[in-house]
């Protein structure tokens, strides 16, 4: 809903004019768009039009182009990309990078470094290897991962095979439900309904207006195939909050997580779907998490200063988020703490015993990466699980009953 950063405005607009490989910059439709201070224009080089890229002096300033047809790099015999580049001054270390994003049928992104020397036209050949998919965006980083800057002429990108892009994903038919929590109980992270005091943002996302009328009702759109997204705040004490809430809508995501991040030291704690609850497709879904879930993991609620939505590795899946906030309101949800669980001994090297005030139906063990390691179906409120085969270390143990669940930390020794 509320705009987090002007970056969203730009990301909501197409990154340049659409065109397909090969790119010879003979038409304005070939023009790439610069980001983070990078400037791109078309110029005449003795009767031949080329792209001029002037670096922005940032670590990751880029020239980008959305492709009208996806570039298929899945054929290892036909995924070598060639192009020409000319540094006009030759006053940098000459370390650059070419990247493709929006992958389908393979890794979400793929990239290779390359170098330049001197000030003459140079031919660059990049073999992108096997196991790839097809990609909807080309991204050129000049002077990658440093603050150096030069002016570069580039021309004649070629290679790969053009294919039709996949059909567009479904989109929400309307905005997320308007939250009803009392504003006096809320610390907002993303919402137009409550004040938002973010200081900065990181990652990649866009604000999308889902109001079909004259009004504005934005949602945060994140394509996890490209990157996650988060924002930072002044260090804030949120110990009075009882819940953290967000709404989401997706047609294709298979995994994502909400991370709360505490300061001094900077430590992340995640509530991940579908490990903690199933992902629901094609409708707005509200998620309300007791703060005890995070504090049981070790989250320091006195030094909260960042949140993010992210995945463990770049994974296809586009998700719309809205109404992300802490609150002391009950929100009319079932409370996970209804399950009273005693888990002992902890640490343990052999058997782990459980005693509940409700009958459990499943116990699942997840490692620190959120991967399911062990799952047992249960129909009792007192039971024991053999953990002798688990590797030593820390695990998250999710105990579920018919209506509720709770997650605890277990140390295998």
């Amino acid at each position: 809903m509320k705009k987090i950063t002007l970056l969203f405005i730009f990301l909501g607009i197409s990154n340049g004019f659409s065109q397909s490989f090969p790119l010879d910059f003979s038409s304005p439709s070939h023009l790439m768009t610069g980001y983070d201070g990078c400037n791109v224009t078309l110029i005449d080089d003795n009767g031949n039009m080329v792209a001029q890229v002037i670096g922005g002096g940032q670590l990751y300033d880029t020239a980008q182009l959305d492709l009208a047809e996806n570039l298929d790099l899945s054929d290892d015999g036909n995924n070598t990309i060639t192009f020409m580049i000319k540094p006009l001054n030759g006053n940098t270390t000459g370390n650059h990078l070419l990247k493709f994003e929006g992958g389908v049928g393979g890794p979400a992104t793929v990239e290779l470094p390359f170098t330049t020397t001197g000030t003459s036209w140079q031919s660059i050949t990049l073999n992108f290897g096997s196991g790839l998919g097809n990609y909807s965006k080309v991204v050129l980083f000049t002077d990658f991962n440093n603050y150096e800057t030069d002016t570069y002429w580039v021309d004649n990108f070629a290679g790969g095979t053009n294919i039709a892009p996949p059909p567009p994903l479904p989109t929400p038919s309307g905005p997320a439900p308007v939250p009803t929590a009392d504003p006096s109980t809320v610390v907002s992270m993303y919402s137009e309904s409550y004040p938002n005091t973010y200081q900065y943002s990181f990652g990649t996302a866009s604000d999308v207006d889902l109001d079909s009328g004259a009004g504005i009702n934005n949602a945060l759109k994140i394509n996890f195939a490209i990157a996650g997204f988060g924002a930072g705040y002044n260090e804030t004490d949120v110990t009075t909050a009882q819940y953290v809430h967000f709404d989401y809508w997706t047609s294709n995501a298979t995994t994502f997580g909400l991370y709360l991040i505490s300061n001094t030291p900077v430590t992340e704690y995640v509530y991940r779907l579908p490990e903690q609850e199933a992902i629901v497709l094609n409708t707005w879904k509200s998620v309300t998490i007791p703060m005890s879930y995070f504090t049981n993991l070790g989250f320091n609620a006195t030094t909260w200063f960042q949140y993010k939505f992210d995945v463990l590795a770049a994974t296809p899946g586009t998700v719309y988020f809205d109404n992300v906030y802490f609150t002391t309101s009950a929100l009319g949800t079932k409370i996970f703490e209804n399950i009273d669980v005693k888990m002992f001994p902890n640490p343990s090297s052999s058997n782990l015993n459980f005693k509940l005030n409700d009958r459990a139906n499943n116990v699942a063990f997840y490692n620190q990466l959120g991967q399911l390691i062990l799952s047992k179906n249960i129909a009792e409120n007192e039971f024991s699980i053999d953990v002798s085969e688990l590797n030593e270390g820390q695990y998250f143990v999710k105990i579920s009953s018919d209506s509720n669940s709770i997650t605890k930390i277990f140390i295998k020794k």
Side-chain angles (χ1 to χ4, degrees):
M1 295 177 85
K2 186 175 289 278
K3 296 278 196 273
I4 283 190
T5 172
L6 287 177
L7 171 67
F8 289 163
I9 298 174
F10 300 132
L11 288 171
I13 302 172
S14 173
N15 296 328
F17 296 94
S18 294
Q19 193 47 265
S20 305
F21 268 45
L23 300 173
D24 61 9
F25 304 103
S26 60
S27 166
S29 66
H30 292 207
L31 181 65
M32 306 174 88
T33 298
Y35 287 87
D36 290 333
C38 183
N39 180 265
V40 188
T41 56
L42 299 181
I43 66 167
D44 188 338
D45 176 29
N46 295 319
N48 177 51
M49 298 303 294
V50 301
Q52 177 174 275
V53 180
I54 302 176
Q58 302 297 315
L59 287 175
Y60 307 113
D61 45 321
T62 62
Q64 306 181 13
L65 182 68
D66 284 332
L67 300 172
E69 297 180 284
N70 279 22
L71 188 67
D72 188 2
L73 301 180
S74 63
D75 181 0
D76 194 26
N78 185 31
N79 64 0
T80 296
I81 302 300
T82 60
F83 60 97
M84 303 291 294
I85 185 168
K86 174 184 172 71
L88 265 64
N89 301 305
N91 57 355
T92 74
T93 53
N95 296 312
H96 319 291
L97 187 99
L98 184 68
K99 181 178 183 181
F100 292 94
E101 296 180 350
V104 177
T109 63
V110 61
E111 60 191 38
L112 284 177
F114 66 95
T115 59
T116 58
T117 58
T119 58
S120 62
W121 278 105
Q122 295 155 55
S123 297
I124 305 298
T125 300
L126 299 176
N127 184 351
F128 275 88
S130 61
L132 305 181
N134 60 85
Y135 299 86
S136 61
K137 181 186 292 185
V138 57
V139 183
L140 174 65
F141 296 80
T142 57
D143 299 304
F144 174 71
N145 197 24
N146 62 60
Y147 295 101
E148 299 173 340
T149 185
D150 198 350
T151 297
Y152 299 89
W153 290 355
V154 292
D155 201 8
N156 296 330
F157 282 90
T161 304
N162 293 323
I163 64 172
L169 291 173
T171 59
S173 59
V178 176
T180 58
D182 184 339
S184 66
T185 72
V186 168
V187 175
S188 179
M189 291 177 271
Y190 183 85
S191 179
E192 281 177 346
S193 297
Y194 308 110
N196 190 347
T197 58
Y198 75 95
Q199 301 297 309
Y200 55 89
S201 60
F202 49 92
T204 301
S206 57
D207 261 342
V208 179
D209 183 8
L210 299 178
D211 191 320
S212 59
I216 296 176
N217 195 327
N218 290 317
L220 182 65
K221 180 182 178 182
I222 302 176
N223 182 354
F224 289 112
I226 298 175
F229 176 82
Y233 300 75
N234 290 330
E235 189 176 291
T236 303
D237 186 341
V238 292
T239 52
T240 60
Q242 294 178 289
Y243 305 94
V244 61
H245 173 273
F246 65 89
D247 297 317
Y248 75 88
W249 192 102
T250 183
S251 66
N252 68 335
T254 58
T255 180
F256 62 87
L258 169 65
Y259 293 72
L260 297 185
I261 306 172
S262 53
N263 204 3
T264 57
V266 176
T267 313
E268 300 181 350
Y269 303 90
V270 60
Y271 184 89
R272 189 176 302 284
L273 286 71
E275 289 84 351
Q276 300 304 324
E277 61 178 270
I279 293 176
V280 178
L281 301 181
N282 299 313
T283 188
W284 280 105
K285 178 70 169 66
S286 290
V287 176
T288 303
I289 311 161
M291 284 297 292
S292 59
Y293 170 85
F294 289 99
T295 55
N296 285 343
L297 299 180
F299 172 66
N300 183 356
T302 65
T303 63
W304 170 75
F305 81 119
Q306 287 181 343
Y307 84 92
K308 69 177 182 180
F309 289 103
D310 209 350
V311 290
L312 294 174
T315 306
T318 297
V319 186
Y320 298 78
F321 295 98
D322 203 351
N323 303 323
V324 187
Y325 55 82
F326 298 98
T327 180
T328 60
S329 298
L331 301 176
T333 61
K334 294 178 179 178
I335 302 175
F336 293 1
E337 292 91 341
N338 284 347
I339 303 180
D340 180 19
V341 178
K342 294 180 180 179
M343 188 176 72
F344 59 94
N346 189 9
S348 176
S349 60
S350 55
N351 289 321
L352 185 59
N353 302 312
F354 296 82
K355 185 174 182 180
L356 290 72
N357 66 340
D358 191 8
R359 189 175 71 173
N361 57 27
N362 181 265
V363 176
F365 290 72
Y366 298 88
N367 64 16
Q368 297 264 332
L369 297 177
Q371 298 166 325
L372 179 64
I373 303 300
L374 174 66
S375 179
K376 295 284 187 181
N377 291 327
I378 307 293
E380 303 174 27
N381 61 351
E382 293 189 37
F383 53 92
S384 180
I385 293 179
D386 182 2
V387 294
S388 60
E389 298 299 318
L390 296 180
N391 294 329
E392 292 185 0
Q394 178 175 292
Y395 294 85
F396 302 131
V397 183
K398 181 182 179 183
I399 306 102
S400 301
S401 70
D402 289 336
S403 59
N404 298 305
S405 65
I406 189 170
T407 299
K408 290 182 170 290
I409 293 177
F410 165 62
I411 306 296
K412 168 65 191 306
K413 66 178 183 180

